[in-house]
Amino acid sequence: QFKKPNLKWGQLEIHPYYRFSETYDSNIYMTPKSGAGGGLRFTGDTLGPVKGAMVTENNIGIGFKLPITGMHAVDGLYDLQSLIYSKDGGANNRANQKVNVGYQYKGPMGLSGSAYNKYMNTNDPALSEDARKEARWQNSLGGGGEYAPGGNLYAAVSLDHTRHKYVNDNVGVSQNRYEQIFGLKGGYKIAPKTKAYIGWRRQIIHYSESSNTKNNKSHFLDFGVEGSLAPKLQGKIETGVQLKDYDEDSNGTITGYTRNWIVSSMLNYKPQDRCTFNLGVSRSLQEASFGTNRFYISNALTLGYGHKFPYKLTGTLDLGFTVDRYPETSTVGSDSRNRRDDIYSQRIGVDYGVQEYLSIGASYAHRQKFSVFSGNYNYDDHQTGLNVKLTF
């Protein structure tokens, strides 16, 4: 009677969940100690003093899986998150939502495919460039297919269309956009559960503002291996090159074309049943809104460790380091230089499984940014919280 309830209606699997947490956030606006203004998103925007607050979170959702036949299946998720702040609630209280729907097809002669639509509205920062919270929504529609006719060769195609929309018009005028990306991939199964591949992708980014000079197109060439890489080691190692070309070159005053090495890798190592290590490495070009910069290069490294202790106790430790570099020289106050941000993050958590479907936990997280424009972009944030989770 203590096992997780198995909620089914015919072939339909239903998975509701609920999470409650109470967290003290020492810096809800991610502002520097100086409280100085200037150098932010738009003219007239200023930084205020560092403020801490208790944040009450209620997170409720439901997921489902439905195998229609042996060849067709659908799944979905609805997630609602309520955030209530003890200070400045009018500016920070928020109800965030996610709605995901997916379809999977597994046909004869090595044919398979999928389609999805993912919608979210949130006020979390989209990128690490700016820590300010802005209400926004985005919707992604896409899918793909794979053909493996037999033997070890296979080919795949994928496409995605994503729309970004900000509620604040002062932000939206420079950030509202759509992104389209489609590609082809071919590979060889070097082992039953391991694939080596090469892929090409085409990306188009177009901003809603007609006078925006950041519209661009990119070509990606990717090489990688994925699946079971070694005993007890799973994941993906991928690297390649991105060629990014802007529709307007601004007469050479700012970067109009760039070629960069990119990385997208994630590894999971499980030396024992109770121990798990996760390693993530990435290098990518991100859209920018700072000064005359059209993009910045983000280099990120993450390391996670999880351990199952006796008596239903689980501990986690997560470390992260990100370096963001900007190509154009910018001026903030009397200081002119190329912006660089170094972001450090640490998190430790512990959870106790009261029952298979019920757990309680505590966590502490620290995040700190060091920028060359320290008076405007440095911040130091501590978050200490307690939570209760109910999952079916």
Side-chain angles (χ1 to χ4, degrees):
Q1 68 271 27
F2 298 117
K3 291 185 178 181
K4 185 185 298 185
N6 185 12
L7 303 181
K8 276 193 173 185
W9 184 24
Q11 293 297 314
L12 176 63
E13 295 182 24
I14 304 174
H15 301 280
Y17 59 89
Y18 172 72
R19 180 179 185 271
F20 171 83
S21 69
E22 195 75 29
T23 303
Y24 179 75
D25 190 334
S26 68
N27 190 352
I28 59 176
Y29 293 114
M30 299 292 192
T31 54
K33 293 181 179 180
S34 65
L40 295 176
R41 280 193 181 275
F42 52 89
T43 303
D45 194 13
T46 59
L47 288 167
V50 175
K51 285 188 177 182
M54 292 296 299
V55 184
T56 302
E57 176 186 354
N58 286 278
N59 183 206
I60 187 170
I62 184 170
F64 74 87
K65 295 181 179 179
L66 177 60
I68 302 173
T69 67
M71 298 172 61
H72 306 275
V74 295
D75 58 33
L77 171 72
Y78 174 76
D79 182 277
L80 174 64
Q81 179 194 47
S82 168
L83 298 173
I84 301 174
Y85 287 72
S86 63
K87 291 184 181 179
D88 294 356
N92 293 285
N93 291 351
R94 180 75 181 172
N96 299 321
Q97 299 183 80
K98 294 179 182 177
V99 181
N100 298 340
V101 179
Y103 163 76
Q104 297 83 39
Y105 169 78
K106 188 173 183 180
M109 297 182 294
L111 284 173
S112 62
S114 64
Y116 61 83
N117 191 86
K118 299 179 180 180
Y119 168 84
M120 65 180 294
N121 64 51
T122 182
N123 65 343
D124 289 337
L127 303 169
S128 60
E129 176 186 42
D130 197 325
R132 288 177 58 87
K133 296 180 179 180
E134 294 286 353
R136 62 183 179 87
W137 64 264
Q138 70 181 59
N139 191 82
S140 296
L141 175 65
E146 182 176 307
Y147 178 52
N152 295 319
L153 294 174
Y154 75 97
V157 60
S158 63
L159 55 92
D160 181 275
H161 178 97
T162 300
R163 174 77 186 279
H164 301 265
K165 171 72 174 179
Y166 284 78
V167 175
N168 188 332
D169 291 336
N170 289 313
V171 178
V173 70
S174 63
Q175 291 298 308
N176 290 345
R177 65 189 184 275
Y178 71 75
E179 301 178 6
Q180 292 180 343
I181 187 166
F182 55 90
L184 303 172
K185 183 168 73 172
Y188 183 82
K189 295 181 181 180
I190 57 180
K193 296 182 179 181
T194 309
K195 299 177 180 180
Y197 62 87
I198 180 173
W200 166 85
R201 292 174 290 152
R202 175 67 164 168
Q203 182 185 56
I204 301 171
I205 299 179
H206 186 84
Y207 285 79
S208 302
E209 177 64 27
S210 59
S211 60
N212 203 307
T213 62
K214 296 193 295 183
N215 298 337
N216 63 85
K217 301 177 179 66
S218 293
H219 290 279
F220 297 82
L221 186 61
D222 306 312
F223 307 88
V225 58
E226 62 184 353
S228 180
L229 306 180
K232 302 181 180 180
L233 181 64
Q234 307 285 330
K236 178 182 75 170
I237 300 176
E238 181 179 284
T239 188
V241 63
Q242 179 180 358
L243 311 177
K244 193 179 188 75
D245 191 15
Y246 287 87
D247 295 351
E248 297 184 27
D249 60 10
S250 299
N251 298 319
T253 57
I254 59 176
T255 304
Y257 171 81
T258 182
R259 181 175 66 247
N260 279 275
W261 170 51
I262 57 173
V263 178
S264 177
S265 300
M266 177 62 73
L267 298 174
N268 175 275
Y269 177 58
K270 194 171 184 178
Q272 301 174 352
D273 289 341
R274 292 182 174 271
C275 301
T276 303
F277 292 88
N278 292 296
L279 174 66
V281 181
S282 69
R283 175 182 169 86
S284 61
L285 270 64
Q286 303 290 345
E287 297 297 291
S289 62
F290 175 71
T292 60
N293 292 274
R294 293 163 154 174
F295 69 92
Y296 64 93
I297 300 174
S298 182
N299 302 273
L301 174 67
T302 60
L303 177 63
Y305 173 69
H307 187 87
K308 293 182 179 180
F309 295 95
Y311 306 107
K312 302 180 182 181
L313 197 64
T314 301
T316 56
L317 174 65
D318 297 290
L319 305 174
F321 175 57
T322 302
V323 179
D324 296 336
R325 294 177 177 270
Y326 292 72
E328 316 299 344
T329 301
S330 302
T331 301
V332 176
S334 59
D335 193 7
S336 296
R337 62 177 75 186
N338 288 57
R339 179 177 170 181
R340 168 179 166 159
D341 297 337
D342 294 351
I343 305 171
Y344 299 85
S345 63
Q346 311 89 40
R347 183 188 181 279
I348 186 170
V350 61
D351 289 279
Y352 176 72
V354 181
Q355 300 294 345
E356 186 179 356
Y357 55 87
L358 175 64
S359 68
I360 57 176
S363 64
Y364 167 75
H366 176 234
R367 185 176 173 89
Q368 192 168 19
K369 176 187 280 190
F370 297 95
S371 175
V372 296
F373 299 117
S374 58
N376 295 85
Y377 296 101
N378 281 12
Y379 63 74
D380 190 9
D381 182 45
H382 302 263
Q383 297 180 1
T384 306
L386 301 172
N387 66 79
V388 179
K389 300 176 184 177
L390 188 63
T391 305
F392 295 103

